[in-house]
């Protein structure tokens, strides 16, 4: 059976239409400490894996004195076209007022979305011409963009090994978005898989493989991303990191998401030059103000 059109290709950056669109929430379900909610986008283009949306709710988005919040950035974790439009899935961790409100959304409510935004993951052959497949490394809420990336790679016939790590059983959601059983798991509290860090699993793969032919894709907390970046650099493996920074606009205007370039040539804005960057493009993945 051929894959649905929405999963048929490993695609390049998709540009967002100007302005925000109102979308209806189709579901909001718990997932091991996180929430998965879906919204129907009737007008927007299909996102590429690694891209993100700026989200806000139509109602009650702000403090009780009426002061509105800025929209918040979220990776797209799943995407499927049906008769109603494009169903976009998001995996959300409640860490503050914006995520708290999104986690409480009821089906039928509306949210404002702007996107898809930013630079997506590159196909393994583009990241590393010798790559036979991909290694996906996710930590915590950072598993979100890897779920869509895994589906896109699968649809393109590209082998992918998936390594996911979680802190504890209250921060371990999103596995159902992967739609595959071949996932190696790690948890710091030992409740599932290897007891320890997901980077322990990556170390084994990099030792066992010809690291020079590896294409590693990672998303997770800054300390995990920095460990992946350094491990890949030391092993001679190519990597792409889906990074986070505080984002006020999401489209290049505020410079709030600027991080230093590795070559010393100034800064890049993670919302337009990322959020997916090559490991050797950044000085460090330890971005101030990011990570939960
Ligand atoms: C490109 C991108 C993709 C993201 N994808 C997801 C996702 O798929 N799921 C998800 O749950 N979260 C994701 N985030 C993080 C999410 O945007 C923040 O958790 C959110 O903005 C917090 O808003 P708040 O009002 O709930 O909390 P706030 O009061 O704004 O912050 C609460 C806590 O979260 C931290 N925080 C705030 N903003 C960010 C940020 N942009 N990145 C990291 N930490 C932040 C703060 O340091 C603070 O500790 C993503 C961020 C970026 C930049
Ligand atoms: S979030 Fe405003 S420039 Fe990146």
């Amino acid at each position: 059976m051929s894959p649905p059109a929405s999963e048929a290709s490993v695609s390049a950056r998709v540009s967002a239409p100007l302005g925000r669109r109102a979308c209806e929430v189709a579901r909001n379900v718990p997932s091991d400490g996180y929430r998965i909610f879906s919204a129907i986008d009737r007008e927007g283009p299909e996102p590429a894996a690694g891209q993100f949306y700026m989200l806000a709710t139509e109602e009650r988005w702000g403090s009780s004195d009426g002061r509105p919040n800025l929209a918040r950035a979220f990776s797209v974790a799943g995407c499927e076209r049906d008769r109603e439009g494009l169903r976009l899935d998001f995996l959300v961790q409640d860490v503050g007022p914006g995520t708290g409100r999104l986690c409480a959304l009821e089906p039928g409510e509306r949210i404002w979305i702007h996107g898809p935004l930013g630079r997506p993951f590159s196909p393994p052959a583009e990241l590393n011409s010798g790559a036979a497949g991909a290694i996906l490394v996710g930590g915590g809420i950072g598993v979100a963009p890897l779920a869509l990336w895994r589906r896109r790679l699968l649809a393109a016939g590209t082998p992918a090994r998936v390594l996911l790590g979680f802190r504890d059983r209250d921060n371990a959601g999103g596995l159902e978005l992967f739609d595959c059983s071949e996932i190696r798991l790690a948890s710091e509290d030992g409740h599932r898989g290897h007891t320890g860090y997901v980077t322990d699993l990556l170390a084994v793969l990099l030792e066992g493989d010809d690291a020079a032919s590896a294409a590693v894709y990672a998303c997770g907390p800054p300390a995990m991303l920095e460990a992946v970046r350094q491990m890949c650099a030391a092993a001679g493996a190519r990597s792409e990191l889906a990074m986070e920074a505080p984002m006020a606009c999401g489209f290049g205007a505020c410079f709030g998401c600027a991080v230093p370039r590795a070559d010393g040539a100034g800064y890049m804005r993670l919302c337009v030059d990322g959020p997916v960057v090559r490991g050797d493009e950044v000085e460090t993945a330890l971005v101030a103000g990011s990570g939960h």
Side-chain angles (χ1 to χ4, degrees):
M1 196 174 77
S2 61
S6 61
E7 296 188 356
S9 61
V10 176
S11 52
R13 183 197 294 241
V14 179
S15 295
L18 283 176
R20 59 183 191 169
R21 314 185 282 289
C23 297
E24 192 172 309
V25 173
R27 67 164 181 161
N28 183 352
V29 293
S31 176
D32 287 345
Y34 305 153
R35 304 283 306 186
I36 297 170
F37 78 84
S38 308
I40 307 300
D41 184 6
R42 295 180 196 279
E43 303 153 59
E46 278 188 28
Q51 290 193 294
F52 68 98
Y53 288 79
M54 298 300 287
L55 304 183
T57 57
E58 192 179 49
E59 306 282 346
R60 303 195 308 285
W61 185 256
S63 56
S64 52
D65 63 7
R67 195 181 160 90
N69 284 334
L70 292 167
R72 303 292 200 247
F74 295 90
S75 306
V76 57
C79 159
E80 203 157 315
R81 191 173 288 285
D82 63 22
R83 273 174 302 173
E84 294 189 71
L86 207 55
R87 195 201 70 219
L88 302 174
D89 301 325
F90 297 97
L91 181 69
V92 181
Q93 183 178 23
D94 180 355
V95 294
T99 47
R101 176 68 184 97
L102 291 168
C103 285
L105 277 168
E106 299 280 351
E109 277 196 76
R110 299 207 310 171
I111 58 169
W112 290 110
I113 74 166
H114 183 203
L117 298 165
R119 181 173 135 188
F121 294 115
S122 318
E126 223 171 84
L127 179 59
N128 184 347
S129 55
I135 300 173
L136 277 50
V137 189
I141 196 70
V143 306
L146 299 178
L148 181 58
W149 188 220
R150 161 82 176 128
R151 283 174 178 262
R152 293 281 165 86
L153 290 168
L154 195 66
T158 307
R161 284 173 288 179
V162 183
L163 315 175
L164 303 180
F166 299 98
R167 195 190 314 155
D168 53 37
R169 60 175 73 245
D170 294 329
N171 293 273
L175 287 181
E176 56 271 56
L177 291 167
F178 280 82
D179 192 26
C180 73
S181 51
E182 296 154 35
I183 299 178
R184 287 181 220 184
L185 296 171
S187 56
E188 288 172 51
D189 68 350
H191 80 279
R192 60 177 68 161
H194 163 75
T195 301
Y197 293 126
V198 69
T199 44
D200 301 340
L201 304 178
L202 177 63
V204 174
L205 286 193
L206 290 179
E207 272 165 26
D209 285 10
D210 177 9
S213 68
V216 177
Y217 302 88
C219 186
M224 184 209 102
L225 280 186
E226 179 58 12
V228 171
R229 194 185 71 80
Q230 290 189 17
M231 287 166 73
C232 289
R238 298 284 176 92
S239 67
E240 276 191 341
L241 316 174
M243 289 178 54
E244 286 188 14
M247 289 189 182
C249 72
F251 47 80
C254 72
F255 284 72
C257 62
V259 297
R261 291 183 185 274
D263 58 8
Y267 291 81
M268 64 167 77
R269 287 164 297 169
L270 273 186
C271 65
V272 287
D273 303 316
V276 176
V277 300
R278 275 200 336 268
D280 60 2
E281 282 180 294
V282 285
E283 217 168 62
T284 174
L286 295 170
V287 176
S290 71
H292 314 140

